[in-house]
Amino acid sequence: MTWVVTGAGGMLGQDVLACLGDGATGLTRGDLDVTDRDAVLAALRALRPSVVVNCAAWTAVDDAESREPEALAVNGTAVRHLAEACALTGSALVHVSTDYVFDGHARVPYAESAPPGPRTAYGRTKLAGERAVLEVLPERGYVVRTGWLYGAHGANFVRTMIRLASARDVVDVVDDQRGQPTWSADVAARLVRLVGAPPGVYHATSGGDGTWYQLARETFRLLGADPERVRPTTSAAWPRPAPRPAYSVLGHARWREAGLPPPRDWREALPRAFPALREAAAAG
């Protein structure tokens, strides 16, 4: 198969390209403006990929509250452009979405079939992209929700904690938001492995769950730093324009239904990821 990865310059896009090796074409924002319908159609007609993995996204959650039309252009309208182009070229589309499509009020993991209810502009725009894929490509479209991503490429929470461990005596971290810390390299492998499974919605987050505070303490422990230097605080102490979901734990039943193993626990993944994270943090 031939692959095209949009958003190839981002954290997840770089990991997807690393998984695929020489058999993929990576398109960064400079290579392809996904909000330009004609450019998207021309690119896919020229490349004729078997699969498109869409990692392009507006990910500035707070900025989306005041710039929702711009976020929608990337997270919603552009995804429809990609889906329509894939329909014309016969390509499959694997589209990355988010836990923010849910309201965050649950107390048990959100199933893939759970009704969405976004509370933020970011979540609404990402839900628009999901619907575009499922409407335009019902037989060749995959929506893959993830969240709490960390990786070696780009800014993320774990890399920030690695930096702060050497810069501050104590760090205050939110302990009332629960989710699934997820290594971007694990998600990349899932995206590639998914093609050939039944189309539809899948959740690609690590198994288990925890809070940001727990993740910070585990990061300190892996660094050899004292986890007691991490202190718990509340979301109210860190007000943001976009409310953060209190509960972002996603279920993984569809992987089992597709005959594929569910994702591994985040406490198993983080130590495997740590050498690359530590090296990237040291490099700045």
Side-chain angles (χ1 to χ4, degrees):
M1 291 191 293
T2 56
W3 299 70
V4 163
V5 180
T6 56
M11 176 172 62
L12 182 56
Q14 291 186 63
D15 283 338
V16 173
L17 285 176
C19 279
L20 292 169
D22 295 335
T25 299
L27 299 176
T28 67
R29 182 167 52 184
D31 298 321
L32 176 64
D33 177 1
V34 292
T35 67
D36 184 334
R37 184 176 184 273
D38 290 341
V40 169
L41 291 173
L44 293 199
R45 280 179 174 144
L47 293 167
R48 293 281 170 178
S50 307
V51 185
V52 175
V53 181
N54 181 38
C55 298
W58 176 295
T59 57
V61 174
D62 289 323
D63 287 349
E65 291 298 305
S66 59
R67 301 169 64 185
E68 188 166 352
E70 295 167 77
L72 181 62
V74 180
N75 292 342
T77 308
V79 180
R80 185 169 293 275
H81 297 339
L82 286 165
E84 290 172 348
C86 286
L88 290 172
T89 58
S91 310
L93 175 59
V94 182
H95 170 64
V96 180
S97 191
T98 176
D99 56 301
Y100 274 76
V101 300
F102 296 117
D103 60 16
H105 296 321
R107 289 296 176 265
V108 296
Y110 286 98
E112 292 89 345
S113 59
R119 297 173 58 227
T120 64
Y122 171 68
R124 290 190 293 272
T125 64
K126 291 296 286 184
L127 181 58
E130 289 192 8
R131 288 173 171 165
V133 174
L134 299 175
E135 289 170 9
V136 177
L137 289 173
E139 297 181 355
R140 296 194 308 279
Y142 299 86
V143 169
V144 184
R145 296 174 180 141
T146 191
W148 288 41
L149 284 183
Y150 63 85
H153 308 293
N156 57 78
F157 180 85
V158 175
R159 286 187 59 179
T160 297
M161 290 300 108
I162 292 172
R163 176 177 56 81
L164 292 181
S166 61
R168 297 185 186 176
D169 292 333
V170 296
V171 180
D172 295 329
V173 180
V174 169
D175 195 32
D176 59 1
Q177 297 172 22
R178 183 164 293 274
Q180 295 156 304
T182 300
W183 185 18
S184 56
D186 276 352
V187 177
R190 290 264 154 189
L191 297 177
V192 173
R193 191 171 186 181
L194 185 57
V195 176
V201 179
Y202 291 79
H203 289 164
T205 49
S206 288
D209 61 68
T211 66
W212 293 114
Y213 166 71
Q214 291 171 323
L215 176 57
R217 285 177 62 89
E218 186 63 11
T219 301
F220 271 54
R221 187 188 70 78
L222 290 169
L223 282 169
D226 183 3
E228 295 302 316
R229 292 167 53 200
V230 181
R231 304 184 303 192
T233 188
T234 66
S235 300
W238 298 91
R240 309 288 287 274
R244 268 42 179 181
Y247 188 83
S248 291
V249 181
L250 305 183
H252 304 123
R254 284 219 66 199
W255 293 101
R256 297 183 180 89
E257 292 168 5
L260 297 169
R264 59 181 166 183
D265 191 278
W266 72 269
R267 292 175 182 84
E268 177 187 350
L270 183 61
R272 295 288 299 275
F274 214 75
L277 292 165
R278 195 167 188 171
E279 180 180 350

